[in-house]
Amino acid sequence: MSTANKNFFITTPIYYVNDTPHIGHAYTTILSDVLTRFHKLAGENTFFLTGTDEHGQKVQQAADKRGTSPQEHTDIFSKRFKEAWGEINIGFDKFIRTTDPEHIAFVQKMVQALWDKGQIYEKEYEGLYSVGEERFFSEKELVNGMDPVSGRPVERVTEKNYFFRMSAYQDWLVKYIEEHPDFILPDFRRNEVLGFLRQPLNDLCISRPKSRLAWGITLPFDKDFVAYVWVDALFNYMSAVDGKTFPDGSPIWPADYHLLGKDILTTHAVYWTTMLKALDLPLPRHILAHGWWMMDNARMSKTTGNVVNPMDMKTEFGVDVFRYFLIREMVVGQDASFSREALVLRLNSELANDVGNGLSRILKLAATGLGNRLTPVPSEGEEEAALKRAAEEAVTAALEKVRALKLSNAIEDTLALIRAVNRYLEVKAPWKLAKEGEAGKAKLNSVLYHSAEALRIGFSLLQPVMPSKMVEALAALGVLQGATGFDPKTSPLVWGGYGYGNPLAEGVNLFPRIETAKPAPGGQKPADGKASAPADPFSLIHLKVARVEAVEDHPNADSLYVLRLKIGEEERTVCAGLKKHLTPEELKGRDVVVVYNLKPANLRGVESKGMILAAEGEGGKVIPVSPDGAAPGDDVTAEGTPPAPKSDLTMKEFEKAPLTVRSGTVFYRDRPLRSPKGPISAKAQDGTVVR
Ligand code: ME8
């Protein structure tokens, strides 16, 4: 991400105008926007394309239902999408509509080119057609010989259509996907596509007779037909940027990323790719299929009626909190569940407690002790040098995660920096310096400058996710030259890159907490360095990363293994009931997470010191959770839960802190478990208990 002057072109699907924008559409669009802003932050030239898919039967039907013409209908609905994106701060470069005359002309040109190259042929097709549903059904799909949707009779119809020779590209496509492992992301989706391609690939029907469907792009070589809506839609990615170039003169196509939901991966990975190949055109570099937002275990969509209107959430929590939640909560690639409660938890624990609190402490102290002014000073003390290092490491780590599309983890790295600032403030207790008058002033300035500078870098890293709030936060710190943005000569991610010329603001509460329940009398006070947090059952637990060095059968228990673990320099023996689930070879060398301070127990004659955390995955197989990339001996913590481990923890005490799986990550309540290298992952379904 650090190579300057690189070009970056990203696209979202173009959304059907038979629906109003909902959270699923908003997610893909926000994800593209955030990635675009990150690439901009890294100094790249970016182009971000989105738009609406306006032809085809679904749109025609939606218009008929409303009693309007398709054109009138698409004008209204396309505008709704465009306005919705304006309201959630989406900075697209182009909004394409497939009814744009340029797009229509481009599709006709491409279809003609395929025809001229002999890639399209005409064929009579005989099938069972339902007039009510306006589509063909196969014999198998019929219910009692009737159309399975409307229950009405079907007719045997013979129809002429045009077909693209897609099957001719099957072998080429398999080879291409195999040779380009990062073409389809994430890798399990690539495997799904390869699985699909193990079956014979049919040719693709690319036309619809106008007698059946008139709302589409007329085929240039047969005026009685329109193009199949997917053929029309996929070409948007090229028609939108036809003839356009980046500032360095290179053409915008091919796209670096096509972002899309997993529902439309085949059309992109197979139809689109083979059409481009048939036309000898460059392929997109990556196709990224993300998961679905779910609610009550059902995919959010208009048909299931469980759609959350992004605009409602925006009104209740503000645009930036909404954007933050979507990007933070979903592990790109996997499904995530949406709930208001989860959003409030993120808001309170991360945005209010960590981000907002860090800023308001500095502002308060700068107002009382320094007349709202900060003067940059060198980082001479050990703690100051450490904070500066932490900021530099956070930038490297976060940008690396962004490049790997692990946006939730990039946020996590940034939060770790912000928490380090809050800890530094607690250690340095600047509220005491503020009371020392003139004598304490230089020290106070240094503490606040270092805190502000580290926060400034943290805020800059959060800016792609929360553009408005972070501009507000940066302005409050007094670092912006003007309200419009950064000084382009200095990277906002470099320590000391900015002066503190402007006065710091007063009384800014960036992220007010949402009260979910009345605080218990004498409970948690606002965090100002003196807060007394109520005892949290997780604080008592000490988790560590361990490596399985050796695996032996337990001499007296059939279900147990006796494992020798290496935890940093220390060696330990732990008994684990994994024999039914994993072979010794599968366990040996594996890194696991162990409850380190569990009271030792004698299990049928073998002393076991600790317990391995595991979760039940597919087919009832119990698999240890995984501290990806961490080193044996590393601590594992839950975000925002200060550790206060108790020696000889009992099982009862351990069980008071419920650990569950969410989107492939282990959580304590709403807080993900982490090693210094990232989240603790588990191959298990949402809601699975970890123990
Ligand atoms: O398929 N969770 O348009 P569409 C996450 N016009 N994302 C979701 C989602 C959910 N529950 N529901 C929808 C089309 N999406 C075609 C695309 S592209 C050349 C043509 C998002 O309006 C996700 O990006 O049905 C999904 O792929 C897209 O909306 C489908 O939008």
Side-chain angles (χ1 to χ4, degrees):
M1 276 221 53
S2 53
T3 9
N5 301 326
K6 200 187 154 292
N7 298 325
F8 180 75
F9 174 29
I10 190 165
T11 69
T12 73
I14 47 171
Y15 305 111
Y16 285 129
V17 286
N18 61 339
D19 201 351
T20 38
H22 63 65
I23 189 180
H25 305 128
Y27 173 70
T28 318
T29 315
I30 291 172
L31 184 61
S32 302
D33 186 61
V34 170
L35 284 167
T36 304
R37 288 176 194 264
F38 264 116
H39 281 261
K40 270 203 180 112
L41 191 62
E44 299 179 14
N45 298 313
T46 58
F47 197 95
F48 169 12
L49 170 68
T50 188
T52 41
D53 189 353
E54 306 190 2
H55 290 126
Q57 193 155 290
K58 285 189 189 185
V59 175
Q60 167 105 55
Q61 280 169 345
D64 291 349
K65 223 166 147 187
R66 294 180 62 247
T68 57
S69 72
Q71 189 60 60
E72 253 174 279
H73 173 87
T74 55
D75 286 347
I76 293 168
F77 278 75
S78 176
K79 197 157 156 248
R80 282 193 195 166
F81 274 92
K82 204 169 181 177
E83 282 171 358
W85 300 160
E87 285 173 38
I88 56 173
N89 225 335
I90 303 296
F92 54 77
D93 294 287
K94 163 114 185 156
F95 186 100
I96 189 168
R97 299 183 55 186
T98 53
T99 48
D100 290 341
E102 299 79 13
H103 171 77
I104 293 173
F106 188 88
V107 172
Q108 288 177 327
K109 195 169 92 184
M110 290 297 135
V111 177
Q112 183 69 48
L114 284 169
W115 176 255
D116 293 344
K117 278 172 162 260
Q119 299 296 320
I120 291 175
Y121 62 93
E122 187 191 315
K123 195 176 83 175
E124 287 278 332
Y125 175 83
E126 197 194 79
L128 300 161
Y129 185 72
S130 157
V131 181
E133 285 302 301
E134 295 186 56
R135 56 166 284 203
F136 285 93
F137 288 101
S138 69
E139 204 88 52
K140 264 197 256 151
E141 285 173 298
L142 301 185
V143 177
N144 301 328
M146 303 286 186
D147 160 352
V149 183
S150 66
R152 294 214 203 115
V154 289
E155 293 167 30
R156 193 160 284 281
V157 170
T158 307
E159 190 176 279
K160 178 178 109 174
N161 261 308
Y162 290 93
F163 290 80
F164 162 54
R165 298 186 193 280
M166 192 159 73
S167 59
Y169 296 94
Q170 177 161 12
D171 294 344
W172 163 81
L173 183 57
V174 169
K175 193 157 176 268
Y176 186 85
I177 296 172
E178 280 171 352
E179 283 174 1
H180 298 82
D182 60 354
F183 179 53
I184 298 169
L185 296 168
D187 53 1
F188 60 93
R189 296 271 171 239
R190 179 184 66 238
N191 292 338
E192 274 174 25
V193 175
L194 286 171
F196 171 80
L197 289 170
R198 274 197 279 277
Q199 307 294 325
L201 189 61
N202 293 327
D203 287 344
L204 180 69
C205 177
I206 56 118
S207 63
R208 296 290 181 267
K210 279 191 183 167
S211 53
R212 242 187 332 119
L213 173 73
W215 183 237
I217 299 180
T218 302
L219 289 186
F221 46 83
D222 191 336
K223 305 279 180 252
D224 292 334
F225 287 82
V226 294
Y228 169 42
V229 67
W230 269 102
V231 172
D232 167 351
L234 288 162
F235 276 110
N236 94 86
Y237 298 131
M238 287 190 79
S239 75
V241 295
D242 190 31
K244 286 197 168 65
T245 54
F246 282 110
D248 66 4
S250 48
I252 300 214
W253 184 259
D256 288 281
Y257 282 96
H258 283 325
L259 294 197
L260 32 116
K262 60 183 181 182
D263 49 325
I264 54 173
L265 179 56
T266 312
T267 49
H268 284 77
V270 182
Y271 301 4
W272 180 221
T273 313
T274 51
M275 282 196 290
L276 287 170
K277 174 69 183 164
L279 286 164
D280 287 322
L281 290 167
L283 303 188
R285 295 193 179 93
H286 309 282
I287 297 175
L288 173 74
H290 62 70
W292 284 338
W293 280 97
M294 315 282 283
M295 210 173 176
D296 305 328
N297 287 328
R299 177 189 168 193
M300 284 186 169
S301 75
K302 182 108 180 240
T303 33
T304 49
N306 59 2
V307 175
V308 173
N309 185 339
M311 299 315 138
D312 295 346
M313 309 303 294
K314 183 202 110 198
T315 318
E316 187 172 3
F317 300 102
V319 176
D320 282 9
V321 173
F322 176 62
R323 290 172 56 114
Y324 178 85
F325 175 71
L326 293 187
I327 297 301
R328 177 76 170 111
E329 189 77 3
M330 185 174 258
V331 173
V332 175
Q334 295 173 11
D335 292 346
S337 5
F338 187 92
S339 78
R340 187 180 178 280
E341 191 193 13
L343 187 150
V344 169
L345 282 167
R346 291 267 185 215
L347 165 61
N348 284 348
S349 65
E350 296 176 354
L351 295 178
N353 273 11
D354 297 330
V355 183
N357 190 29
L359 177 68
S360 64
R361 279 167 157 187
I362 293 173
L363 298 185
K364 243 181 259 163
L365 291 161
T368 34
L370 298 172
N372 297 320
R373 294 269 168 191
L374 284 181
T375 314
V377 283
S379 313
E380 277 159 359
E382 211 170 279
E383 282 138 335
E384 286 67 31
L387 196 58
K388 184 175 170 204
R389 245 191 343 267
E392 286 161 355
E393 284 166 7
V395 170
T396 313
L399 292 187
E400 219 165 78
K401 305 278 166 50
V402 172
R403 195 173 26 192
L405 303 162
K406 296 185 168 170
L407 289 180
S408 183
N409 296 350
I411 294 180
E412 183 55 43
D413 289 326
T414 311
L415 289 178
L417 169 64
I418 291 170
R419 285 183 196 127
V421 175
N422 283 322
R423 272 199 307 276
Y424 168 80
L425 281 169
E426 264 152 44
V427 171
K428 288 288 178 180
W431 37 92
K432 288 186 195 145
L433 297 173
K435 289 182 194 140
E436 287 175 19
E438 280 307 307
K441 232 178 177 170
K443 279 195 217 153
L444 178 64
N445 176 69
S446 170
V447 172
L448 293 190
Y449 167 72
H450 280 89
S451 309
E453 189 55 6
L455 269 193
R456 184 188 67 72
I457 290 176
F459 292 166
S460 302
L461 284 171
L462 288 174
Q463 202 178 3
V465 184
M466 297 186 286
S468 318
K469 280 284 178 190
M470 290 303 109
V471 165
E472 205 185 305
L474 289 163
L477 281 179
V479 291
L480 282 192
Q481 319 291 318
T484 48
F486 300 111
D487 176 348
K489 285 198 281 307
T490 356
S491 162
L493 301 177
V494 171
W495 185 276
Y498 289 91
Y500 282 77
N502 296 334
L504 281 75
E506 278 184 55
V508 174
N509 184 3
L510 216 49
F511 298 109
R513 285 179 68 87
I514 305 278
E515 290 311 331
T516 43
K518 272 207 174 113
Q524 199 163 12
K525 292 191 204 108
D528 60 356
K530 294 171 233 152
S532 65
D536 184 317
F538 188 86
S539 312
L540 305 181
I541 302 173
H542 194 176
L543 299 179
K544 267 184 178 292
V545 175
R547 179 158 301 160
V548 180
E549 293 278 307
V551 183
E552 280 165 26
D553 290 344
H554 192 290
N556 311 316
D558 285 348
S559 63
L560 296 182
Y561 279 133
V562 179
L563 308 180
R564 202 172 70 243
L565 301 183
K566 186 123 187 163
I567 310 172
E569 292 306 301
E570 186 188 345
E571 286 212 351
R572 275 196 186 190
T573 300
V574 165
C575 297
L578 294 169
K579 219 163 151 181
K580 264 203 327 237
H581 307 284
L582 293 168
T583 63
E585 292 70 38
E586 284 174 314
L587 266 173
K588 201 167 165 221
R590 192 187 271 253
D591 286 339
V592 295
V593 176
V594 64
V595 184
Y596 185 72
N597 60 336
L598 196 70
K599 193 173 173 185
N602 190 304
L603 295 177
R604 299 226 199 159
V606 177
E607 187 179 60
S608 175
K609 277 179 87 181
M611 181 176 75
I612 289 177
L613 291 187
E616 189 176 321
E618 236 169 70
K621 205 167 161 177
V622 176
I623 297 174
V625 303
S626 170
D628 307 315
D634 282 348
D635 282 331
V636 171
T637 51
E639 274 175 38
T641 317
K646 175 180 178 289
S647 54
D648 285 345
L649 186 82
T650 63
M651 267 316 272
K652 235 185 178 158
E653 285 167 326
F654 171 74
E655 281 165 358
K656 278 198 182 139
L659 302 180
T660 48
V661 179
R662 207 198 290 168
S663 300
T665 297
V666 182
F667 276 75
Y668 163 58
R669 299 192 193 280
D670 64 308
R671 304 168 210 170
L673 259 52
R674 288 185 57 83
S675 75
K677 287 288 179 311
I680 303 303
S681 61
K683 286 204 178 80
Q685 288 211 323
D686 278 12
T688 308
V689 175
V690 175
R691 52 173 68 223

